[in-house]
Amino acid sequence: MRDLVWLIRHTLKRTFSNKRNILLYFGTPLIGIIISLLAYGGSTAKELHVGMINHDPHYITNDTIRFIKSIEHISVTKVKKSEIDDKITSGKLDCVVIFHSGFSQSVQEGRPSHIQIVSIRGTEITGFIKSYLYHYIDNIAALGQIAKGDEHTFLEMYKRYQQAPFNICNRQVKLNTFCSLILNSFIAENGNSMLHAIAVSV
């Protein structure tokens, strides 16, 4: 039990020892939510039209797209790269999210990249999308950092994360610390040997 408590405290201490991480994890989503409330906080909610381009057909990318679709007041449309300029300048789309090849691999390795958001509407739009999307991606990347390249460990924690009872439509954002709870549950079912192996690498 003390090992589990140590692991949780060590993970939290490592994550939030840097003040910039505190601002990143808590400041960014708050700014995004405030901007979105100012932009869409009228009596009638405005639908945000998002184009989606997927050059990385992988379960992590597919689940990320499903996550975006689950956010309230967002309409997702599949588009081609050649259509981006026309649809954005004409106002048919507010922004386009592009998942380049290698996105899933970078997330699984704990270093998210190969993702791009195209918009001419500025932070009014991108801030709203980023506040949800980047937090979701960072949480998955945190699982990759904990797994340290172990495919089986990552997949087990990833499945539990996806099954977690959080409702994005109610703006209950998944926090990175939830990764620790997933890890503890996984360790409990796989014995102390897994605990020591991961604790040493963290």
Side-chain angles (χ1 to χ4, degrees), residues 1-14 180 183-184 187 194-202:
M1 181 63 184
R2 283 189 296 178
D3 287 337
L4 294 179
V5 174
W6 175 86
L7 184 58
I8 294 174
R9 292 179 61 185
H10 181 74
T11 302
L12 291 175
K13 183 178 180 180
R14 181 182 176 188
S180 297
L183 177 60
N184 293 339
I187 291 170
M194 176 63 73
L195 169 63
H196 294 298
I198 297 177
V200 169
S201 63
V202 171

Side-chain angles (χ1 to χ4, degrees), residues 8 36 51 58 62-63 106-107 117-118 120 142 144 156 165 176 182:
I8 294 174
S36 68
H58 187 276
N62 295 335
D63 287 341
S106 71
V107 173
I117 299 178
V118 180
I120 60 173
E156 287 299 313
N176 196 19
I182 297 175

Side-chain angles (χ1 to χ4, degrees), residues 36 39-49 72-75 91 94 121 124-125 128 171:
S36 68
Y40 303 102
S43 57
T44 303
K46 182 181 177 181
E47 191 84 359
L48 186 65
H49 299 281
E72 280 187 329
H73 310 305
I74 285 187
S75 174
D94 294 299
R121 300 281 296 277
E124 175 185 326
I125 298 300
F128 178 81
R171 300 183 184 275

Side-chain angles (χ1 to χ4, degrees), residues 74-142:
I74 285 187
S75 174
V76 175
T77 304
K78 185 177 180 180
V79 298
K80 297 179 181 178
K81 186 176 181 179
S82 59
E83 300 175 321
I84 294 178
D85 290 343
D86 177 63
K87 289 188 179 294
I88 287 183
T89 55
S90 66
K92 294 179 180 178
L93 292 176
D94 294 299
C95 68
V96 174
V97 179
I98 306 173
F99 295 94
H100 297 288
S101 178
F103 166 75
S104 295
Q105 185 65 33
S106 71
V107 173
Q108 190 168 343
E109 291 174 351
R111 299 186 299 272
S113 60
H114 302 285
I115 182 172
Q116 179 182 5
I117 299 178
V118 180
S119 176
I120 60 173
R121 300 281 296 277
T123 56
E124 175 185 326
I125 298 300
T126 58
F128 178 81
I129 293 293
K130 287 179 179 179
S131 64
Y132 288 106
L133 179 58
Y134 284 9
H135 246 68
Y136 173 86
I137 294 173
D138 285 345
N139 288 342
I140 304 301

